[in-house]
Amino acid sequence: AAGVFYQRCRLPSLVSLLLAQLAGRLVKALVLLVLTGVFGLHVPAPLTVLTAVGAGLPGLALQWVALPLLLAALRRGHLIAAPDPRQTAQAALERARAVWEREEASCVVYRQGKAKTSHLSGVRPLLGWLAEDAQALRGAAVADKVVGRAAALLLVYGGVRAVYAAVISEAALAVLQKAGVAVRYGECVPFIANRDKTDMCPMERRVQDIDDPAAAFEALCTGAE
């Protein structure tokens, strides 16, 4: 269980250990239920699992301390590989995209195991999250319906690690790649058009000559007002 949580789910080692310990106690309780309820054997009641957990707390605590130290020592000795940041970012991006598709959202931010969704159009979701908390996108994976240059600059300003866009502009792709952000997309277009498809999107035009992400954030906030 710890291996599945750590390797497959990409959870931190200590969280994986805690979940594995919980899984072990749940399995023990289920076994006792089956033995008493189905086979009628005289074994300790399932509730005694709680007593066993209490008695075993020193051992559990020792594992909490020892496992992270053991993993660190094994990595220093190159006996096991440290988690690949690129694989971790891609796993988070897959989760963001899955939520985005399931919720039919316009934008999803997946960060620290939690997803935030929005159905607002344009760059409004990104502007709102960043205005509320400057760290809202730090290290996150983002799935967005449309990413133009304006959204790309906001994503770089927020410090995202990975982005999926159903539609992305050539300028946005260049901004994200220059910043070292992992990018996946469905369709790349020359530019993001306005709703009438008659001209460039106003937000795109607003940052057309801006290269600094912080300056773009200020300009887009002013435009949103």
Side-chain angles (χ1 to χ4, degrees), residues 153-167:
L153 287 167
L154 290 176
L155 292 167
V156 173
Y157 174 72
V160 303
R161 288 193 302 168
V163 173
Y164 169 79
V167 178

Side-chain angles (χ1 to χ4, degrees), residues 152 155-157 160-161 172-182 213:
L155 292 167
V156 173
Y157 174 72
V160 303
R161 288 193 302 168
L173 183 59
V175 167
L176 293 172
Q177 290 178 336
K178 182 179 179 180
V181 178

